[in-house]
Amino acid sequence: MYMPWSHPDGYWSASFDQPEPDSHDLRIEALVAQRLSIDWTTRRQQITVSVQNRVAILAGLVYGEEARRVAAELAWDVPGVFDVCNMLRIADRRRGRR
């Protein structure tokens, strides 16, 4: 992801250099997000979905290994997904307790 930067005359932005998202990637992203929001294991988790070149990228926090596993399985089941990059981290529920 690029952050826009201004040229001295305010004309140029780094966003001009970025290619338009592939419509297949946008469709896959929507389908993966929909499946994660429907499933009872993953719907209340903090999961961000992005898709690049038909690779579903899952990021965020989940509360257990089962939710992490199920999220990846749901993403794999979406038609058009070529690969899944599971970057989900398991939240430590003990943190903050004394």
Side-chain angles (χ1 to χ4, degrees):
M1 178 171 145
Y2 292 100
M3 297 302 290
W5 56 274
S6 61
H7 197 275
D9 63 1
Y11 169 74
W12 186 253
S13 172
S15 64
F16 290 128
D17 293 336
Q18 296 180 14
E20 288 294 319
D22 184 13
S23 64
H24 294 291
D25 288 347
L26 292 175
R27 181 184 59 79
I28 292 169
E29 187 175 299
L31 289 172
V32 171
Q34 180 183 25
R35 290 213 178 163
L36 293 175
S37 68
I38 292 172
D39 189 271
W40 68 272
T41 307
T42 56
R43 71 175 149 210
R44 299 200 188 269
Q45 307 295 323
Q46 299 173 15
I47 301 173
T48 302
V49 178
S50 60
V51 176
Q52 295 179 356
N53 298 323
R54 299 184 183 190
V55 176
I57 303 165
L58 307 177
L61 292 173
V62 294
Y63 293 104
E65 183 61 39
E66 180 185 10
R68 185 177 190 275
R69 181 185 51 78
V70 169
E73 289 175 0
L74 290 170
W76 268 112
D77 287 341
V78 171
V81 170
F82 180 73
D83 197 4
V84 174
C85 178
N86 191 347
M87 299 183 350
L88 293 172
R89 295 178 294 134
I90 299 173
D92 185 8
R93 290 185 180 220
R94 296 174 293 168
R95 181 175 267 174
R97 292 184 185 171
R98 293 184 177 188

